[in-house]
Every structure is written in structure tokens, then in C-alpha cells.
Amino acid sequence: MSVQIVLIAAILTVFTAFSTQLLSLAVQPGWMTGLALILAAVAIAWTAVIIWSYMLVRPAASGMPGRALAAGLAVSLCALVLAPTAYAARMAYVSRDLVHHLFAGNMGPVVADDPWSGTQRVNFLLIGADSAPNRPGVRTDSMTVASVDTATGATTLLGLPRNLEEVPMPAGPARARFPYGFTGDGLDSHGLLNEVFQYAENHPEVVPGVPDGQRGPALLKETVGGVLGIPVRYYAMVDMKGFAEMIDAVGGVRITVEEPIVYGKYREGLLPAGTRRLSGEEALWYGRSRTDSDDYVRMGRQKCLINAVARQADPVTLLNSFDGLATATKRAISTDVPQDLLPALVELAQKVRDNPIKSLNFVPPLINTAYPDWRFIRHKVNEALSPVPRTPAPAAQAARPTASPEGPVTLDKTCG
């Protein structure tokens, strides 16, 4: 009984005080394999103790009712031991399978003291991909760079519209083919930014030496990084339909809808204004609907949705919905984040969640998507990411973040 009390206390402590560290272990296959084996051994040993105890203390001559009651109690105790350990072992297996399926191979030893190699900021390209039967290939209709301060977790989302034209290409074969900016292949193509991904997949010669499925992300990372003037280190791409499954797996997302949003191919749905919990399908349409609005309004909602998901995806929620979330993630997400970086990424994600998330969208009137000023874009990015000394503001003003006509970095108020 003393051992059992200590075990229960230890489990409760781990799940409450060390939930972030627990998630860090959940993304390490070696730990997951070891945990599954330990849990199996504990379950077998504990069950053996229960059965042995029953054999020692069972009533010798209490008749059938007494024996049935004692046997039923022993079976119930075995079930109480086996059920949670079996569930935990299953979760360990699912985690191990997800990490091996989704994340790239090891990138070499990561220095525990500084897994980011002294980098002040790490930049992730977040891609929302949409494919349809009447549309060949994949269109990256949502492109956002999350620039994260590795020390504090302070994050700025830099949004690029899908319809940027004549985007400068990175040095090498891509720039040699498009020296004056990307113009597409001329076949049902408008030469927009959201076509770069599929163009690279269809034309191996512009990204030599890179295998199928990786050429698109590789070229898009370099292209977006060149536009913003920052190195884009990793990417994560989510399929729109899979995104809805992921939202459902965590029980929906609570968000403020500032104005009614019509959604559905035939305008069959309406998201009324107000704060509510959206299902996966509703969240998907919240982020993609352009009815009675445009691409730029949609981009603002997408940043708001990313903000809301980041804040509400706490460790306990993720653990409770881990099985369903892992299944949806395997179908919906592709990324080049290496396995060895995952524990550090989990810790960084917790810091992100504890900080306000700012955003800067390069949309009209800030820029002209047909004739963008690339130097101006890079200047605004540098301005947004540079540390700015803060002075105490009057309380009345501090509660009202504002935006100038030039489009500085603003807080996403609708995600609160």
C-alpha cells in the first residue's frame, strides 16, 4: 500500500508540475520504447501480486457466494491495474510511431545547453495547402513565417499573400530560369507565389539533387526567406481537410468571430459574430472563407486562428487527445523538423504560448501585390523583429494597441 501511494503521488506530480517535460519525453522514440516496456513489466508484476495475494487469503470454506465475491474483487483489481498501463503503453507506441512517421531523421547531436546553436531567432514557414479534383497539384494558399525568439518565445507572424507576382528567386538554377522574378510555366499559370511549390515539384532541374516531395518546400523556403530577408530554417505544411480533423481531435478551438462569416461552397453555412468554440469544419471555413471579403481579410483570420490554437493547445489537452491528434497529424502534416530537435521545440512552444503573438501581413495598402517593393518588405521585417526598448504606457493607452496606415506589427486581438 505504501508503494502504491508513492506511485500515485509521483504520477500526479508528473502530470501537473512536469507536464511540459512529459511532452518532451513523448517526442523521443527511445524514451517511449523504454516506457512501454517498463509499463508492461509493472502491469505483469502487479497483476501477479494480486493473484498471489488472492491465492493466499481466499476463504477456504465460505461457499460459492463468498468465493465468487473474492474472485470478482481480484479480477476487478487486475483490471484496474491493466487498463491504465495498457492505455499508457498504447500512447507510448502511438507517440513513437508518429515521430518516426512525421519527422525527418536525426540531424546529429544537439547541444543540450543551446539546441538552437546560438541563433537569436528561429524561423518556421507554416504552409496551408489546398488541393482539389479540379486543380492540378498543390497550391500553397496560406504562407506564414513564424519568427520565434529562442530565449523568450516572443513570436511574430509574417504573412505573405498567395498572389504576390514576379517574386525574386534564390540564387542558382531557379534564378537563372527566372532572372526577373517568377512567372510560372505559362500553362494555366499566373506566376504567383502560391505556384512556386508545385513548380519545383514538376521541374526537378530548378532544385537539383533534391528528391520528390522535398523540392517544393526547399524552393519555397528559400524564396520566402529571400523576400523577407531572413533565413527560413524549417517548414511545416498542413492539408486543409486534415487541419479540420486536428481541431476536432483537441475538442475544437475557442475564438472570437468579429463579423458574421458566410461559408460553404453554396453559402450554406454562417458563423455568427461572437465568442464560441468552433468545430474543425467551422474553424477551417473561418480560416479560408472569402465570401463577402477577400484574400487579405482571410489572411488576418488565419493569423488569428494560429494564435488561438497555440494558446489553447496546453500540455494536458494534448495528452488527453493524443491518440486522435496523432492519427490526424500523420494524414495532415509534413515537415522537415528533425527528431533530435523535438524536445527543445516542445519547450520553445511552451514559451511561445506564454507570450503575446504579434503579426505583420504584407497586404494592400501596405504593399502592391502586382509590383511589390521588396526592399520595403525587408525593411519592415527588420523593423518588426528588432528589439525595441519599451517605456511604460498610460493604462488607458496600453489597453488599446493601434495600427498606423503603414502597417506596423499589431497584436491579434480577436484571438484572445
Side-chain angles (χ1 to χ4, degrees):
M1 289 178 65
S2 299
V3 172
Q4 183 175 357
I5 291 172
V6 171
L7 283 174
I8 292 174
I11 291 171
L12 290 176
T13 301
V14 167
F15 272 87
T16 53
F18 300 100
S19 55
T20 300
Q21 289 81 352
L22 190 62
L23 274 180
S24 297
L25 295 181
V27 294
Q28 300 181 58
W31 277 98
M32 290 295 97
T33 301
L35 178 61
L37 294 175
I38 291 173
L39 289 174
V42 168
I44 292 172
W46 204 338
T47 303
V49 168
I50 293 173
I51 295 175
W52 187 18
S53 301
Y54 166 73
M55 298 297 293
L56 291 175
V57 303
R58 63 179 175 174
S62 58
M64 287 298 295
R67 290 188 177 184
L69 181 61
L73 177 61
V75 170
S76 298
L77 290 173
C78 290
L80 286 174
V81 169
L82 291 174
T85 51
Y87 174 77
R90 160 72 180 169
M91 204 163 107
Y93 170 79
V94 170
S95 174
R96 182 179 182 277
D97 180 62
L98 173 64
V99 170
H100 280 304
H101 175 91
L102 181 59
F103 295 95
N106 294 340
M107 64 175 184
V110 175
V111 180
D113 292 338
D114 187 9
W116 307 108
S117 304
T119 305
Q120 182 180 358
R121 304 192 74 90
V122 60
N123 302 309
F124 301 87
L125 174 60
L126 310 178
I127 306 170
D130 198 5
S131 58
N134 61 346
R135 175 188 293 178
V138 174
R139 298 291 180 90
T140 57
D141 285 344
S142 175
M143 288 161 285
T144 300
V145 171
S147 183
V148 186
D149 188 304
T150 55
T152 66
T155 300
T156 299
L157 302 178
L158 306 168
L160 291 174
R162 67 188 184 98
N163 59 337
L164 275 183
E165 299 183 29
E166 298 185 355
V167 178
M169 305 302 287
R175 184 177 296 176
R177 177 163 297 187
F178 300 105
Y180 305 108
F182 181 72
T183 55
D185 56 16
L187 303 173
D188 191 29
S189 172
H190 303 287
L192 306 180
L193 178 60
N194 70 337
E195 299 171 8
V196 170
F197 183 101
Q198 192 60 41
Y199 185 89
E201 291 295 332
N202 294 340
H203 298 82
E205 65 277 7
V206 299
V207 195
V210 180
D212 289 350
Q214 298 180 28
R215 289 192 297 270
L219 183 59
L220 189 58
K221 281 196 304 181
E222 288 192 72
T223 302
V224 169
V227 169
L228 298 176
I230 56 176
V232 177
R233 193 167 178 182
Y234 305 110
Y235 87 95
M237 182 169 70
V238 59
D239 173 74
M240 293 297 188
K241 292 183 179 179
F243 173 78
E245 295 180 12
M246 292 171 62
I247 294 295
D248 284 332
V250 296
V253 58
R254 188 170 182 81
I255 204 165
T256 298
V257 182
E258 294 212 329
E259 296 179 357
I261 299 172
V262 177
Y263 70 89
K265 188 174 181 180
Y266 302 105
R267 302 173 66 100
E268 63 268 25
L270 177 69
L271 293 178
T275 301
R276 59 179 45 80
R277 183 168 294 277
L278 304 183
S279 67
E281 182 181 3
E282 291 172 334
L284 177 61
W285 281 109
Y286 173 86
R288 75 185 301 188
S289 176
R290 286 184 295 170
T291 304
D292 301 329
S293 62
D294 54 32
D295 274 341
Y296 314 123
V297 173
R298 178 173 70 170
M299 283 180 63
R301 292 200 304 266
Q302 289 170 354
K303 305 304 173 296
C304 185
L305 190 57
I306 292 173
N307 192 324
V309 171
R311 295 194 176 286
Q312 295 170 41
D314 60 275
V316 174
T317 298
L318 294 179
L319 287 172
N320 289 338
S321 56
F322 192 77
D323 202 338
L325 185 60
T327 302
T329 299
K330 287 170 64 176
R331 290 197 296 263
I333 288 184
S334 61
T335 181
D336 61 353
V337 173
Q339 290 181 16
D340 282 349
L341 197 63
L342 293 180
L345 191 58
V346 168
E347 294 182 12
L348 183 62
Q350 184 63 29
K351 294 179 182 177
V352 171
R353 189 171 166 269
D354 294 336
N355 278 278
I357 297 179
K358 300 184 292 184
S359 70
L360 173 60
N361 290 328
F362 291 101
V363 299
L366 183 61
I367 66 164
N368 184 330
T369 58
Y371 305 99
D373 185 336
W374 308 115
R375 184 176 298 179
F376 174 75
I377 290 176
R378 288 188 286 271
H379 167 72
K380 296 300 291 184
V381 169
N382 182 64
E383 185 180 79
L385 301 184
S386 297
V388 178
R390 302 213 171 188
T391 56
Q397 296 179 4
R400 301 195 307 269
T402 59
S404 74
E406 293 187 355
V409 182
T410 58
L411 293 177
D412 280 326
K413 296 176 287 183
T414 57
C415 294

